[in-house]
Amino acid sequence: MRNTPLSLQALNATAKFVATPEGTALAYGSLVFMALLPIFFGALRSVSCSKSKNSADMPETITSRDAARFPIIASCTLFGLYLFFKVFSQEYINLLLSVYFFVLGILALSHTMSPLMCRVFPSSLPNKQYQLLFTQGSGDSKEEIVNYEFDTKNLVCLLISSVVGVWYLLKKHWIANNLFGLAFALNGVELLHLNNVSTGCILLGGLFVYDVFWVFGTNVMVTVAKSFEAPIKLVFPQDLLEKGLEASNFAMLGLGDIVIPGIFIALLLRFDVSLKKNSRTYFYSSFLAYIFGLGLTIFVMHTFKHAQPALLYLVPACVGFPVIVALFKGELTEMFSYESSEEVLPGSPRLTSFPTVSGSPASLASSMDTVSAATGSSPRRRRLQPTSIRPSVIRSSRRQIHLLQNNLSHSCSAKP
């Protein structure tokens, strides 16, 4: 996952253009609404993801060590990209990035659509199974390079996602950008799991300092943001009312300002579920806190006409509100002692480990059960072949998480 908290932005297509109050309100209102969608639905999907017994659906767990190192790695990546854009041609770099995000966006959007496709796919239509297999060598030395099994539902999702991908690759249209951005954000919130609240506080605290430093202290974020053409942010035109879908004066919200608070909010939802009180107090309080923090960011930026790091306002709100609620309810100890990893099967991969898996989720589970029955060993301890590559849901999810992680090192500054 490659992700840095990207700050809220307003980028003017022309220096002379002044957005109307109606256009500004529509743009920022739409950004807030779009930001809430992946947080809400990603958090709900993270609960079912944590309870899944299928190894293909296991989330990536962030530990306190990962959280402590994250801002440092993010800073190094951000500054490295800054130097990269200074040395090499921006045109060729963005061409490579466009192709990379074209593939990644298709996989991410397909994974996002798959639960919906399972519901709307007509039962009268046959759901056939397919397999894409590439091997190297022959006989005993034969090894799998690609082993991708999928069905008709997956194929329909891939085809729809491919249409969006081609649209984005050719036109760079803001709607296609937002579809990819929403898919990246939703999957990030769903698949990135903090193991406890303390880890969340370390991560958000570190990125709070990171965001403030790189926005207020240097011009690195602004330079990278203006040079980096990729769906790592949500955009909405301020001149939509005047120019329609061809509008070009955008307000912008980075994915990091959605995913980073989002994974903390998702953790609190899983904590609510663990209390078994049929209540979502901490989830709703943190969700409302996010709305308050994002609204405050927009207000301050619009009032002072100056770049604002969104995490400066989001982190205190998203952490402070639930802690205050826990103090009033007398559950602060329970909150900080809660371990999200306890609800995930042992052997759940961590953020720093990206194992390669061969086969579809169904075939993988079947083959692991077979090995377990034959050897008497736990299927979760089965060592996977490092030479196998599967460009399916498991692989796309981990690549996407890696993408979001690196995005967190590309923040954009606010320009009113």
Side-chain angles (χ1 to χ4, degrees), residues 69-81:
R69 293 186 300 185
F70 201 83
I72 300 174
I73 297 174
S75 296
C76 293
T77 307
L78 176 63
F79 190 67
L81 280 170

Side-chain angles (χ1 to χ4, degrees), residues 327-340:
L327 281 173
F328 276 107
K329 297 186 67 175
E331 296 176 340
L332 189 62
T333 302
E334 289 87 341
M335 174 187 285
F336 278 88
S337 62
Y338 167 69
E339 290 286 338
S340 177

Side-chain angles (χ1 to χ4, degrees), residues 76-333:
C76 293
T77 307
L78 176 63
F79 190 67
L81 280 170
Y82 173 78
L83 297 177
F84 203 75
F85 279 111
K86 287 291 186 181
V87 174
F88 298 98
S89 172
Q90 176 180 330
E91 179 182 355
Y92 295 110
I93 296 174
N94 282 318
L95 178 61
L96 293 175
L97 289 174
S98 295
V99 176
Y100 173 72
F101 279 97
F102 166 74
V103 177
L104 193 65
I106 289 175
L107 296 175
L109 188 58
S110 177
H111 179 254
T112 302
M113 293 171 54
S114 59
L116 177 62
M117 184 58 63
C118 291
R119 294 184 178 183
V120 302
F121 190 82
S123 57
S124 58
L125 296 179
N127 187 30
K128 298 182 179 179
Q129 301 293 320
Y130 303 93
Q131 182 179 27
L132 181 64
L133 178 64
F134 287 92
T135 61
Q136 179 179 343
S138 59
D140 295 337
S141 62
K142 180 185 293 186
E143 55 184 9
E144 293 181 356
I145 304 301
V146 174
N147 186 2
Y148 180 24
E149 296 185 8
F150 54 98
D151 56 24
T152 305
K153 298 176 184 178
N154 301 136
L155 191 59
V156 172
C157 291
L158 284 172
L159 289 176
I160 297 175
S161 302
S162 298
V163 173
V164 178
V166 172
W167 184 21
Y168 171 78
L169 189 64
L170 297 179
K171 299 295 184 180
K172 294 293 192 300
H173 198 276
W174 59 274
I175 295 180
N177 174 92
N178 287 348
L179 290 175
F180 278 168
L182 287 170
F184 290 145
L186 189 146
N187 281 275
V189 175
E190 175 190 359
L191 297 171
L192 273 178
H193 284 200
L194 297 165
N195 63 349
N196 54 49
V197 174
S198 298
T199 298
C201 292
I202 294 172
L203 179 65
L204 269 66
L207 290 176
F208 171 90
V209 176
Y210 160 87
D211 207 20
V212 172
F213 172 77
W214 287 109
V215 170
F216 288 144
T218 71
N219 69 336
V220 173
M221 277 192 182
V222 179
T223 303
V224 172
K226 291 180 178 179
S227 305
F228 200 84
E229 296 181 4
I232 58 172
K233 69 274 184 184
L234 301 179
V235 298
F236 199 90
Q238 295 183 350
D239 52 347
L240 180 68
L241 299 178
E242 292 82 9
K243 299 182 180 180
L245 295 180
E246 298 303 320
S248 57
N249 180 266
F250 294 104
M252 180 185 303
L253 179 65
L255 294 188
D257 296 329
I258 301 173
V259 175
I260 294 303
I263 61 177
F264 187 76
I265 294 172
L267 170 68
L268 294 179
L269 176 59
R270 297 194 297 275
F271 172 62
D272 278 324
V273 173
S274 71
L275 294 177
K276 297 181 172 60
K277 294 183 178 181
N278 197 26
S279 171
R280 300 294 181 264
T281 304
Y282 296 102
F283 171 67
Y284 289 129
S285 63
S286 58
F287 192 75
L288 291 175
Y290 179 84
I291 298 175
F292 170 78
L294 192 56
L296 184 60
T297 306
I298 296 173
F299 173 78
V300 173
M301 187 191 69
H302 192 72
T303 301
F304 294 98
K305 309 296 182 183
H306 190 276
Q308 297 296 319
L311 291 185
L312 174 64
Y313 308 96
L314 290 174
V315 170
C318 292
V319 175
F321 279 40
V323 169
I324 293 174
V325 171
L327 281 173
F328 276 107
K329 297 186 67 175
E331 296 176 340
L332 189 62
T333 302

